[in-house]
Amino acid sequence: MSFKFKKLTIWQKSMELGEIIFQTTINFPADEKFNLTSQIRRAVDSIALNISEGSILQSKPEFKKFMGYSIRSCAEVVTCLYKAKNRNYISEESFQKLYSDCYNLTNMMIGFRNQL
């Protein structure tokens, strides 16, 4: 027995991204704990959380709404990544990899939403 969202590639990828972002932010300065660190972690976790919440007992229009929240949360993660790069908390290489992951996930989520 399992929840149907566990089978969704977008949920699986968002869970992976969440763990990568968490590990990345461990090295952020302590004075960012309640600012950028918290913000990017909440935003990345919101992606998977909204996918799962929208998939359970929701109509298709309601699920589309939750997918919109996930897509916007991913955009928020990208903005946080820019801030982290500009503040020299992450390398250009790390930024590019995470940016690419977010870009690909966003496109997957948009495609999924359009097929609902």
Side-chain angles (χ1 to χ4, degrees):
M1 179 163 68
S2 70
F3 289 95
K4 69 179 181 179
F5 61 79
K6 285 183 63 179
K7 297 175 186 171
L8 297 174
T9 303
I10 54 173
W11 181 83
Q12 294 166 7
K13 296 281 186 191
S14 66
M15 291 292 288
E16 291 170 15
L17 181 63
E19 296 312 306
I20 293 167
I21 292 288
F22 180 83
Q23 289 301 315
T24 301
T25 59
I26 286 174
N27 297 319
F28 282 14
D31 64 344
E32 287 286 10
K33 182 177 181 180
F34 299 108
N35 294 314
L36 189 58
T37 302
S38 175
Q39 189 69 32
I40 195 170
R41 286 178 178 179
R42 286 182 289 117
V44 79
D45 286 347
S46 183
I47 299 169
L49 291 168
N50 280 300
I51 292 169
S52 60
E53 186 175 354
S55 73
I56 302 294
L57 299 174
Q58 304 292 340
S59 64
K60 285 186 180 182
E62 192 72 8
F63 194 3
K64 284 184 177 185
K65 184 170 80 170
F66 278 91
M67 287 306 304
Y69 298 150
S70 291
I71 292 163
R72 289 190 294 274
S73 291
C74 202
E76 185 177 347
V77 170
V78 170
T79 298
C80 289
L81 289 171
Y82 271 104
K83 288 188 167 289
K85 181 182 76 149
N86 292 344
R87 295 173 187 175
N88 297 311
Y89 301 159
I90 59 174
S91 67
E92 179 66 31
E93 181 181 342
S94 181
F95 171 82
Q96 290 298 329
K97 169 70 170 90
L98 292 167
Y99 180 93
S100 178
D101 290 346
C102 288
Y103 183 84
N104 292 332
L105 178 56
T106 297
N107 285 329
M108 289 172 67
M109 290 189 294
I110 290 169
F112 178 82
R113 184 185 64 176
N114 289 344
Q115 292 192 4
L116 285 176

